[in-house]
């Protein structure tokens, strides 16, 4: 018997950091997988947006990272775990407009300081923990 | 209006998507900040931007953007066109600056995908 908490699908995707070479590739895979599950367009779009934002952050700031996708009958759980510099002041990083982006990142059209607040806005649940010098862990939940 | 009408109004070059010029578009969002596009652009809208890198296609793909119009006479990078082909997102280019591009489309009936930024969560 499948309860509401049962993980019916799980997958993990590795990400290379400090390069935009494949930025967005994992989000596309996540979106394709969710589309195949016949979830609503809005839910799939939100999951793709938060995954993409997290992916861009890893490609921008971390050494490496991974995105873990879990689907239960009730929700989509996306975790982005990276090894990197971490965030010293999470409250400040959550502020719209605050960014530590380099020129290269800004040149790509990112680094406006919207990423984390965007993730929060598009998620039903969002939690972030970070350790300076170790890395950052994001958990996003989108209810189906 | 159709994407073909948009192309005619903007005297635009079609880099990819000749076979999709019949699609209907009603709304648009213009920005060079992909972070802002992710925050505010709505599904089915046109994206008007001066950026040319593959992230404009990735961002459009995530958001279900109908088509991309590159402004100011810039040309997409070869890898940007390749990605647009792979993800099947039409990509056009116009010599008009962003202000003129927006004005020309607006007077013909295309409106912003949102009018103002709202405080409420909106997932459309």
């Amino acid at each position: 018997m499948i309860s509401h908490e049962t993980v019916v699908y799980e997958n993990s995707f590795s990400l290379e950091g400090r390069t935009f070479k494949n930025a967005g590739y994992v989000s596309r895979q996540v979106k394709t997988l969710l589309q195949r599950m016949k979830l609503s367009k809005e839910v799939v779009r939100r999951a793709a947006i938060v995954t993409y934002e997290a992916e861009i952050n890893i490609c921008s700031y971390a050494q490496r990272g991974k995105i873990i996708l879990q689907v239960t009958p009730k929700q989509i759980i996306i975790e982005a775990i990276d090894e990197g510099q971490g965030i010293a002041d999470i409250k400040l990083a959550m502020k719209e407009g605050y960014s530590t982006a380099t020129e290269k990142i800004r040149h790509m059209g990112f680094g406006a300081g919207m990423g984390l607040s965007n993730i929060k806005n598009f998620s039903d649940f969002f939690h972030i923990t970070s350790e300076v010098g170790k890395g950052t862990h994001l958990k996003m939940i989108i209810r189906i | 209006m159709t994407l073909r009408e948009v192309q005619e109004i903007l005297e635009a070059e079609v880099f990819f998507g000749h076979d999709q010029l019949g699609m209907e578009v009603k709304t648009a969002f213009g920005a060079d900040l992909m972070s802002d596009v992710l925050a505010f652009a709505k599904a089915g809208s046109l994206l008007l931007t001066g950026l040319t890198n593959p992230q404009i296609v990735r961002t459009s793909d995530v958001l279900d953007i109908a088509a991309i119009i590159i402004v100011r006479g810039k040309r997409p990078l070869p890898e940007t066109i390749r990605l647009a082909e792979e993800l099947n997102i039409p990509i056009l280019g116009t010599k008009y600056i962003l202000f003129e591009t927006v004005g020309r489309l607006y007077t013909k009936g295309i409106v912003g995908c949102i009018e103002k930024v709202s405080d409420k969560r909106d997932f459309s």
Side-chain angles (χ1 to χ4, degrees):
Chain A
M1 191 179 132
I2 295 177
S3 84
H4 287 330
E5 303 306 316
T6 310
V7 175
V8 291
Y9 180 86
E10 182 167 2
N11 208 333
S12 173
F13 309 86
S14 295
L15 277 167
E16 198 182 341
R18 303 256 162 98
T19 173
F20 271 85
K21 200 172 63 207
N22 299 315
Y25 180 74
V26 169
S27 318
R28 177 65 262 181
Q29 286 182 289
V30 165
K31 194 171 181 180
T32 302
L33 286 162
L34 295 174
Q35 280 168 330
R36 284 187 193 144
M37 293 177 200
K38 301 276 189 284
L39 299 169
S40 83
K41 263 191 168 163
E42 182 219 278
V43 161
V44 171
R45 188 171 179 268
R46 286 168 58 199
I49 291 170
V50 300
T51 306
Y52 184 61
E53 287 277 18
E55 189 175 359
I56 293 294
N57 280 348
I58 291 171
C59 292
S60 298
Y61 303 109
Q63 301 285 9
R64 68 187 65 83
K66 63 178 175 183
I67 303 251
I68 300 163
L69 169 70
Q70 290 181 316
V71 184
T72 77
K74 279 278 191 204
Q75 54 194 21
I76 300 165
I77 305 153
I78 298 152
E79 287 182 88
I81 303 160
D82 73 44
E83 293 167 43
Q85 60 203 36
I87 300 168
D89 187 339
I90 287 176
K91 207 171 156 193
L92 189 60
M94 290 298 304
K95 242 198 182 110
E96 284 188 9
Y98 177 82
S99 172
T100 60
T102 61
E103 198 51 43
K104 182 186 146 196
I105 297 164
R106 290 178 199 274
H107 190 77
M108 299 298 287
F110 297 99
M114 295 292 286
L116 289 173
S117 61
N118 232 357
I119 291 174
K120 189 167 184 255
N121 285 340
F122 280 102
S123 304
D124 291 311
F125 169 88
F126 170 64
H127 186 66
I128 173 169
T129 53
S130 189
E131 198 178 333
V132 174
K134 280 269 172 66
T136 302
H137 186 149
L138 306 182
K139 184 172 185 178
M140 294 82 84
I141 294 177
I142 290 164
R143 283 194 291 272
I144 293 172
Chain B
M1 68 172 73
T2 63
L3 193 54
R4 183 170 287 101
E5 288 171 272
V6 170
Q7 183 216 344
E8 284 162 5
I9 291 164
L10 301 176
E11 298 156 37
E13 182 177 348
V14 182
F15 299 112
F16 170 72
H18 282 281
D19 57 342
Q20 295 179 65
L21 294 177
M23 75 161 63
E24 277 288 326
V25 284
K26 296 188 178 80
T27 58
F29 186 83
D32 285 1
L33 270 174
M34 289 302 111
S35 309
D36 278 355
V37 176
L38 281 160
F40 306 120
K42 301 293 170 223
S45 294
L46 289 172
L47 170 62
L48 317 175
T49 186
L51 289 181
T52 60
N53 67 57
Q55 294 312 314
I56 62 175
V57 182
R58 287 287 183 199
T59 303
S60 298
D61 178 43
V62 161
L63 293 169
D64 299 326
I65 289 287
I68 302 164
I69 315 282
I70 297 178
V71 299
R72 300 195 283 276
K74 292 168 187 265
R75 301 184 73 81
L77 299 169
E79 59 263 41
T80 305
I81 298 176
R82 269 201 303 277
L83 193 60
E85 289 168 354
E86 186 190 321
L87 298 172
N88 201 28
I89 299 170
I91 186 161
L92 287 70
T94 177
K95 287 197 167 70
Y96 288 112
I97 60 168
L98 182 58
F99 189 89
E100 286 289 330
T101 302
V102 171
R104 279 159 204 271
L105 293 179
Y106 197 90
T107 51
K108 292 284 200 309
I110 298 275
V111 293
C113 63
I114 54 171
E115 202 170 291
K116 284 181 181 170
V117 173
S118 94
D119 300 329
K120 288 195 290 286
R121 292 209 307 176
D122 170 10
F123 301 131
S124 56

